[in-house]
Amino acid sequence: MNKEDTMTTSSTDIYTTIQAIDGHFSSALMRGDTASIADFYSDTGMLLPAGSGVIQGKPDIKAFWQAAIDMGIRKLKLDILEVEVHGDTAIEMSKYTLTNEDEEVIDRGKGIVIWKYNNSSWMMHRDIWNSDI
């Protein structure tokens, strides 16, 4: 998909694409592959987790997810509620559930990811979530 295609691509197509990327992200988390996790984010990507300052850039994003894994997080289940497309930007709203290796719920909540198309693929640009627990 090239950048021009994003102007005419339907929300359904972007939804399917983002759903697949979210699946790869979850698989990387299960493997503890924080380098791959960081690569899902744009070069200027930011995490905006509740109770924390802004986490910016791939090295800090990698460190954040390593700390999450070290706390016992092993699985991420995402349920996409909606995706809006605005040119080379997409906005995903989802519910999430984080579990440990025994499938015990560690956290659940909702979040928004702003995606940017970078000439070859969709990348997470801003990632914000907050807990329901």
Side-chain angles (χ1 to χ4, degrees):
M1 180 183 310
N2 62 41
K3 187 172 183 178
E4 290 76 28
D5 291 339
T6 64
M7 301 301 182
T8 59
T9 301
S10 73
S11 292
T12 303
D13 294 339
I14 299 301
Y15 178 98
T16 301
T17 299
I18 289 174
Q19 189 175 40
I21 294 169
D22 286 346
H24 294 303
F25 184 100
S26 296
S27 294
L29 182 66
M30 285 178 63
R31 293 189 314 271
D33 185 356
T34 56
S36 290
I37 290 171
D39 284 341
F40 287 102
Y41 292 87
S42 69
D43 290 338
T44 56
M46 292 181 191
L47 302 180
L48 303 146
S52 173
V54 174
I55 297 161
Q56 184 171 4
K58 291 185 181 198
D60 289 345
I61 290 170
K62 180 181 174 182
F64 173 88
W65 285 109
Q66 184 61 59
I69 290 166
D70 292 346
M71 288 182 352
I73 294 171
R74 293 295 182 272
K75 280 183 126 177
L76 168 65
K77 180 181 182 291
L78 286 169
D79 295 310
I80 299 173
L81 303 175
E82 67 181 27
V83 175
E84 292 182 19
V85 182
H86 305 275
D88 64 354
T89 301
I91 303 167
E92 167 197 357
M93 186 173 80
S94 299
K95 290 183 179 179
Y96 70 86
T97 303
L98 296 169
T99 57
N100 63 19
E101 62 189 22
D102 296 326
E103 304 286 329
E104 297 169 331
V105 173
I106 293 173
D107 192 19
R108 74 170 52 95
K110 63 277 185 199
I112 292 178
V113 176
I114 299 173
W115 295 80
K116 290 288 188 180
Y117 193 76
N118 74 352
N119 296 322
S120 63
S121 63
W122 286 96
M123 308 290 290
M124 289 186 271
H125 188 60
R126 301 291 183 261
D127 189 359
I128 184 169
W129 64 93
N130 44 60
S131 179
D132 290 343
I133 297 177

